[in-house]
């Protein structure tokens, strides 16, 4: 047989079993959190009509998209989950109840330049709430609460959701007579964390052509820091000069004041006047999420309020608010940095039943009994020596091996060995399930992700 | 803004929210069953190098595959989960523990002619056990046990897993001196259910060129029916004449005798000498699964034993056994036939909290409290009239609405309304969670799929 060397395409994540299990568990935390807030799961096709996906057009998207012909059809792989959502809502408009709340955790495709840590196929985990004509501001307070539930579900505590409002920024720049330059200014201000205030000031003067006084005003504005109450207090001093600003400030107050009601600890969110996000899309509240010990990652979860989801497909104003977790990249970096908690077992089974007799009947029955107790159980059915069986258990990384020989069968018991400690106990099946289950529940309470 | 009419490509399933939830629940049943037997989840890329996917080549596959260029790369979307598994096992051979047991529930792509009920993007839900050089026959008894757990998890009882062994067929045809014609004969015999024995006999004579006596022998053989013990008894009468046959018969005996130990009721499996499956791939035990009240569906879950998973990619014999559920098609047909149990709610939330006051604090807190009790809860935050709120609850199909007005807040209670019955109770939050949870658990015990 002529052979071909197997390989996986670069930019495509393919995980070994233990890593895949850890990845799936993170996805499960997201799924459960999203579902607990009444978001409905969607699973739109990965392939869409290319004309529809590219209705908005735009440089990078066109270049990166995977687009191809099949028969007469001009097809493309989705490059995000927002455009398919827009199509879905427009197409099924009359069948949906609004506000329409959906989550989708799916792969998207971008043919970017290959680069370490950059993926061409990656998961996004999105939630969006879409209103029909109107959408209450309270939804903008709920979104960070959902994200808080996700990240605390990962076992993290040192993360912070940054909240801003585009109307505050737009209103502020309008006060300074800088509305037309606001895009350039926001892009410059966005570099503050990386290059510091002096260089930002220089760029504002040289590249954006601002006056000294204007640059000073901007730097003073974006340096507003402190508790959420302090920041809002400072913003009050600008009130009454621009209607958009005032609207934005009111929205921000509603959002921050309700976050606590939604169960979000104050230390996990902060008003941050430097964030702006996608300049031509978001219109109100915007979010970024930072891991406090890993600011180098940038935002791991971002989104905001927009005024019109599906203007390319339907003649109805559909305002919404949404947020997206870039799961593949987040997982990749956490793994790279050794932050996936190794104390949580990631074997395919909780217990491996090792029969020590020729007849497998008792072992099959024992495995079934342990499964009925809710455990994931593999029966080892190969004819191998004891040493090889234990080597397999070790390589698989199962937390427990359950040995069943003549003696155990005669007593109606089994020998349960905890692989990590080497401790072995002679137990009946119910006791075995109890010990294994209890040990695993304890491990399940550990944080999935370490902070160090 | 210029608009483009939204549409979803034909042959691509895109479900409304309630259907998507039912689909996801079926996928969850499969996932839990697979995981409970110690299969590890994999999630290989949807795009692979086209040369690698097509290593085996072959007519239909080449025609149906979605293949395209990106830069210099010759890419293709996977058309099944077996070829990516073969690549994975070959590529990661030294890092895996054998037997390697994996499941994958993922979309695959085939550009087939558009046709009602035929999909170009569809889910397969596969399990495989791969041995390194050898693999014990007991694995072939375990696979139907896993599938039994899946289908009984759907709430079905009237299904039957058909088991045969290719060695029995090959050995039998060798006895008759018909080894070279065995492929043609098996294809003809496969039509037995559709065209009946007389026409099969005519085809055997005319198309396959058999002698009368040979056709009689074959028809006698494939008409062997009865309990599993009876069928095996009848097969014993052929024993001792061909080594391959004898091996196959022994394997079949091991498989059937162990199925009961694996907890499979005898009425859910049957030895069926007429099934053969993929003629150039399977080498031993083969499986098909029929819904007894819907034989028109054909097999909804098929697979078998093969001798060499990854011969195109690695110079190691990797025997295995696997089975695959065509989930998208199964779901489509069940839905078409109205068999998705409507008595199980399929709303995005278990309860919709409807605030009746201006201040939302109490409603937010109540929603969080119900979530802590494990419920999926949506807070309705739009400023609408009561009638519109209830209309929304109805359209969403939530099983419970939870009303919170001044009176309820003053008493520390809420008014819980069961939407189906109209029954309304004034309860404190813990009691509310209790009633809702209990009602939903009762619905959760109903079969997902109806038999009628």
């Amino acid at each position: 047989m002529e052979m071909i060397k197997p390989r996986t395409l670069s930019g495509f994540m393919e995980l070994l079993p233990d890593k895949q299990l850890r990845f799936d568990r993170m996805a499960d935390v997201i799924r459960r959190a999203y579902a607990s807030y009444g978001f409905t799961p969607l699973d739109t096709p990965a392939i869409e009509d290319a004309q529809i996906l590219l209705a908005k057009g735009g440089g990078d998207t066109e270049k990166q998209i995977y687009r191809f012909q099949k028969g007469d059809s001009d097809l493309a792989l989705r490059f995000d989950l927002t455009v398919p959502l827009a199509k879905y809502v427009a197409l099924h408009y009359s069948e949906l109840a609004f506000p329409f709340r959906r989550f989708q955790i799916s792969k998207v495709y971008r043919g970017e330049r290959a680069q370490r840590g950059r993926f061409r196929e990656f998961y996004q985990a999105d939630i969006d709430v879409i209103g029909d004509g109107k959408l209450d501001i309270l939804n903008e307070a709920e979104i960070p609460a959902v994200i808080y539930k996700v990240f605390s579900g990962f076992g993290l505590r040192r993360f912070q959701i940054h909240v801003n409002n585009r109307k505050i920024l737009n209103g502020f720049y309008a006060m300074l007579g800088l509305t037309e330059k606001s895009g350039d200014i926001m892009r410059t201000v966005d570099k503050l964390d990386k290059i510091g205030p002096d260089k930002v000031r220089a760029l504002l003067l040289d590249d954006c052509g601002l006056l000294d006084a204007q640059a000073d005003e901007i730097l003073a504005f974006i340096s507003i820091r402190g508790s959420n109450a302090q920041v809002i207090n400072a913003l009050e001093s600008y009130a009454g000069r621009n209607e958009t600003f005032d609207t934005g400030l009111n929205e921000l107050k509603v959002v921050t004041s309700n976050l606590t009601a939604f169960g979000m600890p104050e230390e996990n969110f902060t008003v941050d006047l430097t964030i702006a996000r996608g300049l031509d899309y978001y219109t109100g509240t915007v979010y970024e999420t930072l891991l406090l010990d890993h600011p180098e990652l940038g935002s791991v979860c971002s989104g905001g309020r927009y005024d019109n989801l599906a203007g390319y497909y339907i003649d109805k104003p559909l305002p919404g608010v949404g947020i997206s977790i870039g799961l593949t990249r987040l997982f990749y970096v956490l793994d790279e940095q050794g932050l996936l908690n190794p104390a949580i077992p990631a074997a395919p089974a909780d217990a491996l039943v090792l029969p020590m007799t020729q007849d497998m009947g008792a072992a099959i029955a024992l495995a079934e009994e342990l499964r009925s107790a809710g455990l994931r159980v593999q029966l080892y059915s190969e004819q191998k020596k004891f040493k090889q069986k234990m080597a397999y258990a070790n390589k698989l990384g199962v937390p427990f091996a359950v040995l069943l020989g003549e003696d155990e069968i005669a007593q109606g018991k089994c020998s349960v060995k905890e692989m990590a400690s080497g401790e072995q106990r002679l137990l009946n099946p119910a006791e075995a399930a109890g010990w294994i289950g209890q040990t695993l529940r304890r491990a399940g309470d550990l944080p999935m992700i370490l902070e160090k």
Side-chain angles (χ1 to χ4, degrees), chain A:
Chain A
M1 196 180 280
E2 207 188 326
M3 282 205 286
I4 179 167
K5 194 172 156 27
R7 70 185 188 97
T8 298
L9 295 164
S10 89
F12 288 73
M13 181 180 270
E14 182 170 83
L15 298 168
L16 285 172
D18 60 323
K19 292 288 163 64
Q20 186 68 56
L21 256 167
R22 294 184 198 279
F23 182 97
D24 288 2
R25 282 186 193 143
M26 284 183 69
D28 269 346
V29 166
I30 299 174
R31 191 173 296 114
R32 279 200 303 271
Y34 286 177
S36 76
Y37 280 82
F39 290 86
T40 201
L42 282 195
D43 179 17
T44 60
I47 306 180
E48 301 266 7
D49 182 311
Q51 309 278 351
I52 289 176
L53 275 195
L54 292 168
K56 191 179 178 180
D60 273 3
T61 306
E62 293 248 20
K63 259 179 275 165
Q64 293 176 353
I65 198 166
Y66 287 94
R67 184 172 182 173
F68 49 92
Q69 298 284 127
K70 182 83 187 171
D72 299 334
S73 307
D74 180 12
L75 307 173
L77 299 180
R78 63 181 167 218
F79 54 88
D80 72 6
L81 300 177
T82 305
V83 176
L85 170 66
K87 182 217 73 176
Y88 182 94
V89 172
L91 182 59
H92 304 290
Y93 172 78
S94 63
E95 297 158 290
L96 302 177
F98 291 91
F100 175 62
R101 300 155 67 87
R102 86 86 176 79
F103 76 88
Q104 183 160 3
I105 304 175
S106 291
K107 287 174 171 177
V108 303
Y109 296 85
R110 294 185 196 171
E112 297 199 67
R113 203 161 54 83
Q115 205 179 324
R116 197 173 162 70
R118 274 285 179 90
F119 293 94
R120 291 170 172 167
E121 176 187 70
F122 57 95
Y123 277 94
Q124 288 192 332
D126 284 21
I127 40 173
D128 284 271
V129 184
I130 317 293
D132 186 8
K134 287 209 306 198
L135 186 68
D136 197 89
I137 177 74
L138 204 67
N139 292 286
E140 290 161 52
E142 192 184 46
I143 294 281
V146 182
I147 295 306
Y148 170 75
K149 192 170 260 192
V150 169
F151 281 78
S152 54
F154 290 158
L156 295 173
R157 287 184 307 158
R158 295 191 36 75
F159 64 92
Q160 208 164 39
I161 302 171
H162 291 228
V163 179
N164 197 6
N165 191 299
R166 286 294 304 276
K167 294 187 183 109
I168 291 178
L169 299 182
N170 292 338
F172 171 72
Y173 292 120
M175 285 178 212
L176 301 183
L178 291 171
T179 294
E180 277 166 31
K181 291 184 175 173
S182 64
D184 289 344
I185 297 171
M186 286 188 223
R187 267 184 287 272
T188 306
V189 164
D190 195 42
K191 298 175 184 157
L192 184 67
D193 279 353
K194 279 180 201 137
I195 63 175
D198 292 347
K199 287 193 180 152
V200 164
R201 192 172 194 285
L203 287 175
L204 288 175
L205 297 176
D206 301 346
D207 288 9
C208 304
L210 301 200
L211 304 172
D212 270 322
Q214 291 171 321
D216 288 342
E217 282 255 36
I218 291 169
L219 282 166
F221 182 78
I222 61 176
S223 67
I224 295 172
R225 289 278 192 287
S227 72
N228 295 319
Q230 286 167 333
V231 172
I232 283 168
N233 245 329
L235 289 175
E236 295 280 12
S237 69
Y238 294 87
R241 291 163 58 188
N242 177 283
E243 205 180 324
T244 305
F245 183 95
D246 294 350
T247 306
L249 180 54
N250 273 331
E251 290 181 1
L252 185 65
K253 286 197 282 194
V254 174
V255 169
T256 53
S257 66
N258 277 294
L259 276 173
T260 317
F262 273 109
M264 166 100 93
E266 169 128 10
E267 70 255 33
N268 289 110
F269 71 97
T270 184
V271 177
D272 177 350
L273 300 176
T274 69
I275 66 166
R277 305 299 312 164
L279 295 178
D280 55 352
Y281 186 56
Y282 294 117
T283 52
T285 304
V286 288
Y287 317 102
E288 294 193 350
T289 311
L290 295 178
L291 304 186
L292 294 179
D293 300 321
H294 299 279
E296 74 281 6
L297 293 193
S299 176
V300 295
C301 173
S302 314
R305 161 88 184 206
Y306 43 86
D307 277 348
N308 201 352
L309 174 73
Y312 293 97
Y313 309 124
I314 191 171
D315 192 17
K316 305 250 179 206
L318 299 173
V321 56
I323 200 162
S324 177
I325 302 175
L327 179 57
T328 299
R329 181 162 176 277
L330 176 61
F331 181 84
Y332 174 82
V333 176
L334 293 170
D335 183 25
E336 278 286 287
Q337 306 211 352
L339 300 178
L340 304 173
N341 193 346
I344 302 178
D350 304 321
L352 179 69
V353 172
L354 297 178
M356 300 293 165
T357 55
Q358 199 65 32
D359 181 82
M360 304 287 256
I364 294 171
L366 173 63
E368 282 297 325
E369 196 166 348
L370 296 175
R371 281 180 202 116
S372 311
L375 298 178
R376 298 173 307 144
V377 180
Q378 179 184 343
L379 172 69
Y380 187 85
S381 48
E382 306 310 298
Q383 304 294 331
K384 297 269 183 177
K385 301 213 170 89
F386 180 71
K387 215 174 148 179
Q388 289 170 300
K389 289 177 180 174
M390 290 309 288
Y392 180 75
N394 274 316
K395 187 159 185 186
L396 216 53
V398 285
F400 290 90
V402 180
L403 285 57
L404 197 63
E406 303 285 3
D407 290 355
E408 285 91 351
I409 294 172
Q411 298 176 69
K413 299 201 170 182
C414 55
S415 294
V416 183
K417 179 169 182 163
E418 188 181 30
M419 299 297 286
S421 65
E423 184 183 350
Q424 188 165 320
R425 300 184 188 177
L426 185 68
L427 302 170
N428 69 38
E431 293 164 346
W435 186 35
I436 296 169
Q438 188 185 44
T439 309
L440 293 175
R441 274 191 299 280
R442 215 175 294 136
D445 288 340
L446 297 172
M448 277 182 197
I449 299 174
L450 301 172
E451 297 184 299
K452 65 169 183 208

